[in-house]
Amino acid sequence: MSWLETSIMARKGVAGGEMRARHAFTIADQGQFHYVYGPYANPVLHVAPGAVVTVETHDAFEGAITSESDSPSQKLNFPFLNPQTGPIHVEGAEKGDALAVRILSISPRGPQPVGTTCLIPEFGGLVGTGSTAMLNAPLAEVVRKIRVDEAGVHWSETLTLPYEPFIGTIGTAPEIEAISSLQPDYYGGNMDLPDVAPGAIIYLPVNREGGYLYLGDCHAIQGDGELCGVALEIPATVELQIDLIKGYGNGWPQLETEDMIMFVGSARPLEDATRIAYRELVRWVAQETGASEIDAYMLLTMCGKVRLGNMVDPKYSVGASIAKRFLK
Amino acid sequence: MSWLETSIMARKGVAGGEMRARHAFTIADQGQFHYVYGPYANPVLHVAPGAVVTVETHDAFEGAITSESDSPSQKLNFPFLNPQTGPIHVEGAEKGDALAVRILSISPRGPQPVGTTCLIPEFGGLVGTGSTAMLNAPLAEVVRKIRVDEAGVHWSETLTLPYEPFIGTIGTAPEIEAISSLQPDYYGGNMDLPDVAPGAIIYLPVNREGGYLYLGDCHAIQGDGELCGVALEIPATVELQIDLIKGYGNGWPQLETEDMIMFVGSARPLEDATRIAYRELVRWVAQETGASEIDAYMLLTMCGKVRLGNMVDPKYSVGASIAKRFLK
Amino acid sequence: MSWLETSIMARKGVAGGEMRARHAFTIADQGQFHYVYGPYANPVLHVAPGAVVTVETHDAFEGAITSESDSPSQKLNFPFLNPQTGPIHVEGAEKGDALAVRILSISPRGPQPVGTTCLIPEFGGLVGTGSTAMLNAPLAEVVRKIRVDEAGVHWSETLTLPYEPFIGTIGTAPEIEAISSLQPDYYGGNMDLPDVAPGAIIYLPVNREGGYLYLGDCHAIQGDGELCGVALEIPATVELQIDLIKGYGNGWPQLETEDMIMFVGSARPLEDATRIAYRELVRWVAQETGASEIDAYMLLTMCGKVRLGNMVDPKYSVGASIAKRFLK
Amino acid sequence: MSWLETSIMARKGVAGGEMRARHAFTIADQGQFHYVYGPYANPVLHVAPGAVVTVETHDAFEGAITSESDSPSQKLNFPFLNPQTGPIHVEGAEKGDALAVRILSISPRGPQPVGTTCLIPEFGGLVGTGSTAMLNAPLAEVVRKIRVDEAGVHWSETLTLPYEPFIGTIGTAPEIEAISSLQPDYYGGNMDLPDVAPGAIIYLPVNREGGYLYLGDCHAIQGDGELCGVALEIPATVELQIDLIKGYGNGWPQLETEDMIMFVGSARPLEDATRIAYRELVRWVAQETGASEIDAYMLLTMCGKVRLGNMVDPKYSVGASIAKRFLK
């Protein structure tokens, strides 16, 4: 029996974790991308729980950086960055529910070299930025175009890195806010968390009717923290299974894999992101196992794991998790 | 000669700092308040540079807390908090410009006790919150209704505090985002900075055509930091003079009084808010006086002043200022 | 009647706020300076409560920077920085008590130009540092030597800044730790808070027998935050009155002037320094006035004031205060 | 060939990674423990490079918590916490060198239940503390005594956690400071990093003659962040191999295992700890591989890993690492 049969999605989903109607959605279908997570856009696709959707996403630069001689600061037009596909309307979703989104696959899409990374002035984890304002001169701009295929990320002639794709930005619409797709928050968004990868199910709080799922910003590989601010950005084809869980609106995104349960917090400073993630997990473990919050707090002191998503976005993202084998 | 004649508004404004057409705008005219700063609302008033506008604002709770026996957590309906009057469309304003808003007066409006403060669970500067997530039990809810008039804030039978009113929340619309009126940011918003008071001019960056000025959340008095999260909230009648400065779009709000120039930064952690405010001020002093950035940095090391706005909102706000007498 | 007669020092001090024996102590008497606040040094002076002590301090660089062509990074020998005079042993002081130190005067000492400020690589509020590690190139080193007298700080040919001297570093020894004099903490130390000036009384927790008072690092003027990391550093002659309050060991330094009561917190991030200062003040106001902590919390929300000391040291320092007139 | 033969210790150590003289050192030999990392204590043991030392450590409470009905706040006597064995003097060590300390084994020592964890008021990652000062009531005190053997941590009747021991606190003496053993910093100290485990070599900067190695605070298991502030504390017998590397004084601790190279940073807020760790790693990778700092920065953006040590100590600790297979 696959672990999927006992997943939260299978146990609680409206479609019971079943794969039902299939949809394919291209960037041509999308037309205009979105640069905010909000309720003011019109859905581009309507699906019912159980839908399996093949979605095309663009890279974080909407393809504007085509050569290693490009200047990011000239090519990029803030705030029109990190283009999002969507929103996808999920039938029956209402405030207080959760979308369950299982990631089936992520494939690079487009001509080689399909991957892009770069240094952008006043952006990144080890430089002064608009938020951590400094008087030091910025680093010089650098662009790297990298060949990526399912066999690996061809970083240099001597070094091939593994292909470990994930979705950098995914989430639902806030109820009344429309927030830059550069930001992560309680609804998901730009978490840049490598665990949001094929094999995982992400549970996202629904804040308005239809849920309004957005996604984009796939990465071929990324280290913890997305240190320079730009992972290996790729246009991608993403295959998702979408279910709906009524009344399962946790405060923050939850992630499930075969082996673990994770909550994701996003905030500054980084300890606050970690606190959010761990408090959500404490509460969930207590509820799930019947333990007290204090017992869950002490158990996680022994066996909790922390994964740093990004420490470069307007809020930093952290996942806190527990192995399922300790949830006895 | 009044200092106003040499203010930035007078020197650079389209209306040259002159008072021209008068407008009066009530909460009845407003109808529906707004809870986000964004471009998706329709202007409720159109004015030209030089306009003098009398605007009614509601208190941060939209009047929902009427008695000391009310429970804030039951009466308040997140995210429909901190109702804003506006947006006011300013003729000729375009991205890259600044609105100059001179605050002429702020008067309490409505029946006594007109002032409200309270403790809201998981909100405030000395308690665990949604961002600084803790497992401690929240403090009990408390409501205080306070009589306020121009003579003072009648805190208790033995203590009258001064009436020192200011606008807690004021700003322009972002270009594509719609952000909660509980948050401060580069466009202004919920800065809760006591210097935004009668006698001051605030310069706000324009991010879209018309500028879209919002305001609300007047306070009869507030200490530095807005410690428990709720100042002495009052419905108010605010008199403003609005001018427009073409091409004067600083990155963050600027404040001018007879004696000083201030920039306001909003971020977490608090040092980042302070860094933003000081970097903006360093750059402005350098440009204004012809000094180098390094000279301005060293001068501000000697005589810069810092004012803490709030340390309770989604971002904290800090003003960094220099006395005009040191700008020789 | 002077406010001093109702000061905490006068009301609770062993010497009742009286000036008694006079002592003079020069840097020649000191011999070797100290670079840590700790219990492992031998007292250089023994005084009884009521002592009036004239103490000479060196500047933060121990006089090593003598010319505007000096290179700070070559002249300075970390960790032998911020030389401290002391420790002064106060008769009868025991763990749990407080030293009350009234600052009578601070005069520049030595040949002109007596003041020094500079930019030190990887140090300061708007640059990457050893703690806020960045890859950006550091700013160039700069030294300014400035003439200072009681009439003013002669910053440039056209600008004279006021002479507003204070003690940058003052405190007692920890019980078992010996901590760099570059750091502020619960025992005082390098707070760089401009309120520690003539006219003020500072109350410092005693952590070991004799208290062990250290001081140094006088500044002729400094803006809030000590932005570039180096104020206008002067060697000085400091006149102090030292009293002892049995059993008055607050957790953190307290400051009293004619008009206000302040507590000082030191921590990173800056909101934590502010939280410490405000929590100490909440508790003190509650105890002093018989109000509940909740009432004190709400009162300080209305009228608390915050002063930023430094935001460049290993911990940042913040003072939170209340005007005495609100303590009814 | 073992990876040890190509370790930094083997390649650069004075003893070339060889095991030479054996020493055994008990807590009876130690006599008085130390509660600070500093130069003011006398060495308890002198060893030469290549020494293999069997050392006994006490638990973080010096055995004071013996029963689940104990009250930590009554039994513990701050600042006499986290007792350290040492200092061990390493022959030939001078400022600017590094100690290489290979961890051979860690065994629980003493009668069952040998493990202790607890909740201490105002201490922990999800509660208000002395630094993150709150007005909320503290959580109730709780003590758990746990049976631990090499087979596992017997958490409850139904749950056995793995025995994953490591050294919570290890480091060298600062040059002139004596810092609480509760704190981590550039010299090591209370990092609470689970990677400091059997199989790893830690490289610690030497700040004074003899190095002065201290250690204590072994943990039978701990989750990332040491969430409640107290891991599963055990008295232990630790077997170490100590070598000396002349002139290899990195700014912060470095860790090496068969598979990876890590640097450890300690600071608040947590992003600053992470920045320190990553900047050290950027510089080391650049130097080791001949790449530029920019190339190393971009490579780590793709494949850097982050491990959270503690987020409860006076400074938080983070390890940033790269897999050795990417160092081509």
Side-chain angles (χ1 to χ4, degrees):
Chain A
M1 185 179 89
S2 162
W3 73 274
L4 289 166
E5 296 176 38
T6 59
S7 67
I8 298 168
M9 182 176 72
R11 287 185 287 125
K12 306 196 177 190
V14 167
E18 284 179 23
M19 292 189 183
R20 294 179 179 172
R22 293 191 172 260
H23 306 256
F25 190 79
T26 67
I27 63 169
D29 296 329
Q30 176 73 32
Q32 184 71 30
F33 288 100
H34 295 289
Y35 310 95
V36 293
Y37 274 66
Y40 304 106
N42 293 317
V44 294
L45 180 67
H46 287 74
V47 303
V52 176
V53 187
T54 303
V55 181
E56 291 182 359
T57 60
H58 217 321
D59 72 19
F61 308 122
E62 211 166 327
I65 299 180
T66 56
S67 148
E68 294 198 346
S69 59
D70 281 344
S71 158
S73 60
Q74 288 178 13
K75 291 282 183 172
L76 304 179
N77 181 23
F78 182 87
F80 302 99
L81 295 174
N82 202 9
Q84 299 295 299
T85 298
I88 299 172
H89 180 284
V90 180
E91 191 181 306
E94 293 168 304
K95 186 176 175 177
D97 298 341
L99 299 187
V101 182
R102 180 178 162 213
I103 303 166
L104 299 167
S105 68
I106 301 174
S107 306
R109 186 177 57 75
Q112 296 290 355
V114 72
T116 307
T117 187
C118 60
L119 296 190
I120 299 173
E122 304 235 314
F123 183 59
L126 291 182
V127 296
T129 66
S131 296
T132 305
M134 300 285 169
L135 295 177
N136 305 90
L139 300 183
E141 299 187 65
V142 176
V143 171
R144 297 283 315 273
K145 298 291 292 186
I146 304 287
R147 190 161 54 85
V148 176
D149 51 41
E150 308 266 341
V153 168
H154 303 276
W155 184 252
S156 72
E157 291 192 7
T158 56
L159 181 61
T160 301
L161 299 169
Y163 178 65
E164 297 175 342
F166 69 97
I167 304 173
T169 310
I170 185 169
T172 55
E175 185 171 5
I176 59 173
E177 289 188 290
I179 297 180
S180 167
S181 53
L182 296 171
Q183 175 159 327
D185 215 320
Y186 64 91
Y187 53 81
N190 193 19
M191 299 175 285
D192 295 314
L193 188 71
D195 302 277
V196 185
I201 304 168
I202 188 166
Y203 302 94
L204 295 162
V206 172
N207 308 295
R208 58 150 292 138
E209 186 274 328
Y212 279 36
L213 180 71
Y214 293 87
L215 71 153
D217 187 30
C218 287
H219 296 166
I221 185 174
Q222 182 204 292
D224 297 348
E226 200 183 16
L227 191 60
C228 82
V230 183
L232 198 66
E233 313 289 335
I234 51 169
T237 303
V238 179
E239 199 181 10
L240 302 173
Q241 174 187 355
I242 301 173
D243 207 335
L244 171 67
I245 307 184
K246 299 301 292 179
Y248 191 72
N250 294 295
W252 291 82
Q254 183 183 16
L255 212 67
E256 181 179 17
T257 68
E258 180 166 5
D259 299 322
M260 62 93 178
I261 293 287
M262 176 183 279
F263 279 87
V264 187
S266 295
R268 289 192 180 197
L270 192 51
E271 54 266 40
D272 273 2
T274 314
R275 285 175 176 136
I276 290 168
Y278 256 135
R279 184 167 76 168
E280 291 293 310
L281 186 60
V282 163
R283 290 178 170 173
W284 187 88
V285 167
Q287 191 162 25
E288 186 75 9
T289 64
S292 69
E293 281 196 6
I294 296 302
D295 284 344
Y297 183 40
M298 296 181 85
L299 176 61
L300 288 167
T301 301
M302 300 307 143
C303 65
K305 295 291 178 196
V306 165
R307 183 79 186 265
L308 175 59
N310 84 78
M311 54 172 247
V312 294
D313 293 340
K315 296 187 175 186
Y316 307 144
S317 293
V318 168
S321 65
I322 185 169
K324 285 182 174 176
R325 71 181 185 278
F326 298 141
L327 288 173
K328 303 280 156 89
Chain B
M1 184 180 91
S2 161
W3 73 272
L4 289 166
E5 297 177 37
T6 59
S7 67
I8 298 168
M9 181 177 72
R11 287 186 286 126
K12 306 195 176 189
V14 167
E18 283 179 23
M19 292 188 182
R20 295 180 178 170
R22 291 190 175 262
H23 307 257
F25 190 78
T26 68
I27 63 169
D29 295 331
Q30 176 74 34
Q32 183 71 31
F33 289 100
H34 294 290
Y35 308 94
V36 293
Y37 274 67
Y40 304 106
N42 293 318
V44 294
L45 182 66
H46 287 74
V47 303
V52 176
V53 187
T54 303
V55 181
E56 291 183 359
T57 60
H58 216 321
D59 72 19
F61 308 122
E62 210 164 329
I65 299 180
T66 57
S67 150
E68 295 197 345
S69 59
D70 281 344
S71 157
S73 60
Q74 289 177 14
K75 291 282 184 172
L76 304 179
N77 181 23
F78 182 86
F80 302 98
L81 294 174
N82 202 10
Q84 299 295 299
T85 298
I88 300 173
H89 180 283
V90 180
E91 190 181 308
E94 295 168 303
K95 186 175 175 177
D97 298 340
L99 297 188
V101 182
R102 181 179 161 211
I103 303 166
L104 299 167
S105 68
I106 301 173
S107 306
R109 186 177 58 75
Q112 296 289 355
V114 71
T116 306
T117 187
C118 60
L119 297 190
I120 299 173
E122 305 237 312
F123 183 60
L126 293 182
V127 296
T129 66
S131 296
T132 305
M134 300 285 169
L135 294 177
N136 304 92
L139 300 182
E141 298 188 64
V142 177
V143 171
R144 296 282 316 273
K145 297 291 294 187
I146 305 287
R147 190 161 53 85
V148 176
D149 51 40
E150 309 264 341
V153 168
H154 303 276
W155 184 253
S156 71
E157 291 191 8
T158 56
L159 181 61
T160 300
L161 299 169
Y163 179 65
E164 296 175 343
F166 69 96
I167 303 173
T169 311
I170 185 169
T172 54
E175 186 171 7
I176 59 172
E177 288 187 291
I179 297 179
S180 167
S181 53
L182 297 170
Q183 175 159 327
D185 215 319
Y186 64 91
Y187 53 81
N190 193 18
M191 299 175 285
D192 295 313
L193 189 71
D195 302 277
V196 185
I201 304 168
I202 187 166
Y203 302 95
L204 295 162
V206 172
N207 308 296
R208 57 151 290 138
E209 186 275 328
Y212 279 36
L213 180 70
Y214 294 86
L215 71 154
D217 187 29
C218 287
H219 297 166
I221 185 174
Q222 183 202 291
D224 298 348
E226 200 183 17
L227 190 60
C228 83
V230 184
L232 198 66
E233 311 290 333
I234 51 169
T237 303
V238 179
E239 200 180 11
L240 302 173
Q241 175 186 353
I242 300 172
D243 207 336
L244 171 67
I245 308 184
K246 299 300 292 179
Y248 190 71
N250 293 297
W252 291 81
Q254 183 183 15
L255 212 66
E256 181 178 18
T257 68
E258 180 165 6
D259 298 322
M260 63 93 178
I261 293 287
M262 176 183 278
F263 278 86
V264 187
S266 295
R268 287 192 181 195
L270 192 50
E271 55 265 39
D272 273 1
T274 313
R275 283 175 177 137
I276 289 168
Y278 257 135
R279 184 167 76 168
E280 291 293 309
L281 187 59
V282 163
R283 290 178 171 173
W284 187 89
V285 168
Q287 189 163 25
E288 186 75 8
T289 65
S292 69
E293 281 196 6
I294 295 302
D295 284 343
Y297 183 41
M298 295 181 85
L299 175 61
L300 288 167
T301 301
M302 300 305 144
C303 65
K305 294 292 177 197
V306 165
R307 184 80 187 263
L308 175 59
N310 84 78
M311 54 172 245
V312 293
D313 292 340
K315 296 187 175 186
Y316 307 144
S317 293
V318 168
S321 65
I322 186 169
K324 285 182 174 175
R325 71 181 187 280
F326 299 141
L327 288 172
K328 304 283 156 84
Chain C
M1 186 178 91
S2 161
W3 73 273
L4 289 166
E5 297 177 36
T6 58
S7 67
I8 297 168
M9 180 176 72
R11 288 186 285 126
K12 307 196 176 189
V14 167
E18 284 179 23
M19 293 189 180
R20 296 180 178 170
R22 291 190 174 262
H23 305 257
F25 190 79
T26 66
I27 64 169
D29 296 331
Q30 176 73 32
Q32 183 72 29
F33 289 100
H34 294 290
Y35 309 95
V36 293
Y37 274 66
Y40 303 106
N42 293 317
V44 295
L45 182 67
H46 287 73
V47 304
V52 176
V53 187
T54 302
V55 181
E56 291 182 1
T57 59
H58 217 321
D59 72 18
F61 308 123
E62 211 166 327
I65 299 180
T66 57
S67 149
E68 294 197 345
S69 59
D70 281 345
S71 156
S73 60
Q74 288 177 13
K75 291 280 182 173
L76 304 179
N77 181 23
F78 183 86
F80 302 99
L81 295 174
N82 202 9
Q84 299 295 298
T85 298
I88 300 173
H89 179 284
V90 180
E91 192 181 306
E94 294 168 303
K95 186 174 175 179
D97 299 341
L99 298 188
V101 182
R102 180 180 162 212
I103 303 165
L104 298 167
S105 68
I106 301 173
S107 306
R109 186 177 59 73
Q112 296 289 355
V114 72
T116 307
T117 188
C118 61
L119 297 190
I120 299 172
E122 305 237 313
F123 183 60
L126 292 182
V127 296
T129 67
S131 295
T132 305
M134 300 285 170
L135 295 176
N136 304 92
L139 300 183
E141 298 187 65
V142 176
V143 171
R144 296 283 316 272
K145 297 291 292 187
I146 304 286
R147 190 160 54 85
V148 176
D149 51 40
E150 308 266 339
V153 168
H154 303 277
W155 184 253
S156 71
E157 292 192 7
T158 56
L159 181 60
T160 301
L161 300 169
Y163 179 64
E164 296 175 343
F166 69 97
I167 304 173
T169 311
I170 185 168
T172 55
E175 185 170 6
I176 58 173
E177 289 188 290
I179 297 180
S180 168
S181 53
L182 297 171
Q183 176 159 327
D185 214 319
Y186 64 92
Y187 54 81
N190 192 20
M191 299 175 285
D192 295 314
L193 188 71
D195 302 276
V196 185
I201 304 168
I202 187 165
Y203 302 96
L204 294 162
V206 172
N207 308 296
R208 57 150 292 138
E209 186 274 328
Y212 279 36
L213 180 69
Y214 294 86
L215 70 154
D217 188 29
C218 287
H219 297 165
I221 185 174
Q222 183 203 292
D224 297 348
E226 199 183 17
L227 190 60
C228 82
V230 183
L232 198 66
E233 312 289 334
I234 51 170
T237 303
V238 179
E239 202 181 9
L240 302 172
Q241 176 187 352
I242 300 173
D243 208 335
L244 172 67
I245 308 183
K246 299 300 293 178
Y248 190 71
N250 294 295
W252 290 82
Q254 183 183 17
L255 212 66
E256 181 178 17
T257 68
E258 181 166 4
D259 298 322
M260 63 92 176
I261 294 287
M262 176 183 279
F263 279 87
V264 188
S266 295
R268 289 191 181 197
L270 192 51
E271 55 266 40
D272 273 2
T274 313
R275 284 174 176 137
I276 289 168
Y278 257 134
R279 184 167 75 168
E280 291 293 309
L281 187 59
V282 163
R283 289 178 171 173
W284 187 88
V285 168
Q287 189 163 26
E288 186 75 8
T289 65
S292 69
E293 282 197 5
I294 295 303
D295 284 344
Y297 183 41
M298 296 181 86
L299 176 61
L300 287 167
T301 302
M302 300 306 145
C303 65
K305 295 292 177 196
V306 165
R307 184 78 186 265
L308 175 59
N310 84 78
M311 54 172 247
V312 294
D313 292 340
K315 295 187 176 187
Y316 307 144
S317 292
V318 168
S321 65
I322 185 169
K324 285 181 174 176
R325 72 180 186 280
F326 299 141
L327 288 172
K328 304 280 155 87
Chain D
M1 185 180 90
S2 160
W3 73 273
L4 290 166
E5 296 176 38
T6 58
S7 67
I8 298 168
M9 182 177 72
R11 286 185 287 125
K12 305 195 176 189
V14 168
E18 283 179 22
M19 292 189 183
R20 295 180 178 172
R22 292 191 174 260
H23 306 257
F25 190 78
T26 68
I27 64 169
D29 296 330
Q30 176 74 31
Q32 183 71 32
F33 289 101
H34 295 289
Y35 310 95
V36 293
Y37 274 67
Y40 304 107
N42 292 318
V44 294
L45 182 66
H46 287 75
V47 303
V52 176
V53 187
T54 303
V55 182
E56 291 183 359
T57 60
H58 217 322
D59 72 19
F61 308 122
E62 210 165 329
I65 299 180
T66 56
S67 149
E68 295 198 344
S69 59
D70 282 344
S71 157
S73 60
Q74 288 176 13
K75 292 280 183 174
L76 304 179
N77 181 23
F78 183 86
F80 303 99
L81 294 175
N82 202 9
Q84 298 296 299
T85 297
I88 300 172
H89 180 284
V90 180
E91 191 181 306
E94 295 168 302
K95 186 176 174 177
D97 298 341
L99 298 188
V101 183
R102 181 180 161 212
I103 303 166
L104 299 167
S105 67
I106 301 173
S107 306
R109 186 177 58 74
Q112 298 289 356
V114 72
T116 308
T117 188
C118 61
L119 296 191
I120 299 173
E122 306 235 312
F123 184 61
L126 292 182
V127 296
T129 66
S131 296
T132 304
M134 300 284 169
L135 295 177
N136 305 90
L139 300 183
E141 298 187 65
V142 177
V143 171
R144 297 283 315 275
K145 297 291 293 187
I146 304 286
R147 190 160 54 84
V148 176
D149 51 40
E150 308 266 341
V153 169
H154 303 276
W155 185 253
S156 71
E157 292 192 7
T158 56
L159 181 61
T160 300
L161 299 169
Y163 178 66
E164 297 176 339
F166 69 97
I167 304 173
T169 310
I170 185 169
T172 55
E175 184 170 6
I176 60 172
E177 289 188 290
I179 297 179
S180 168
S181 53
L182 296 171
Q183 175 159 328
D185 215 318
Y186 63 92
Y187 53 81
N190 193 19
M191 299 175 284
D192 295 314
L193 188 71
D195 302 278
V196 185
I201 303 168
I202 187 166
Y203 302 95
L204 294 162
V206 172
N207 307 294
R208 58 150 291 138
E209 186 276 327
Y212 279 35
L213 179 71
Y214 294 87
L215 71 154
D217 187 29
C218 288
H219 296 166
I221 184 174
Q222 183 203 290
D224 297 350
E226 200 183 16
L227 191 60
C228 83
V230 183
L232 197 67
E233 311 289 335
I234 51 169
T237 302
V238 179
E239 200 180 10
L240 302 173
Q241 176 187 352
I242 301 174
D243 207 334
L244 171 68
I245 308 184
K246 299 301 291 179
Y248 191 71
N250 293 295
W252 291 82
Q254 183 183 16
L255 212 66
E256 181 178 18
T257 68
E258 180 166 6
D259 298 321
M260 63 93 177
I261 292 288
M262 175 183 279
F263 279 86
V264 188
S266 294
R268 287 191 182 198
L270 192 51
E271 55 265 40
D272 273 1
T274 314
R275 283 173 177 138
I276 289 168
Y278 257 135
R279 184 168 76 169
E280 291 293 309
L281 187 58
V282 163
R283 289 178 172 173
W284 187 89
V285 167
Q287 190 163 26
E288 186 75 9
T289 64
S292 69
E293 282 197 5
I294 295 303
D295 284 343
Y297 184 40
M298 296 181 85
L299 176 61
L300 288 167
T301 301
M302 300 307 144
C303 64
K305 295 292 177 196
V306 165
R307 184 79 187 264
L308 175 60
N310 83 78
M311 55 173 246
V312 294
D313 293 339
K315 296 188 175 186
Y316 307 144
S317 293
V318 168
S321 66
I322 185 169
K324 285 180 173 177
R325 72 181 186 278
F326 299 141
L327 288 172
K328 304 283 156 84

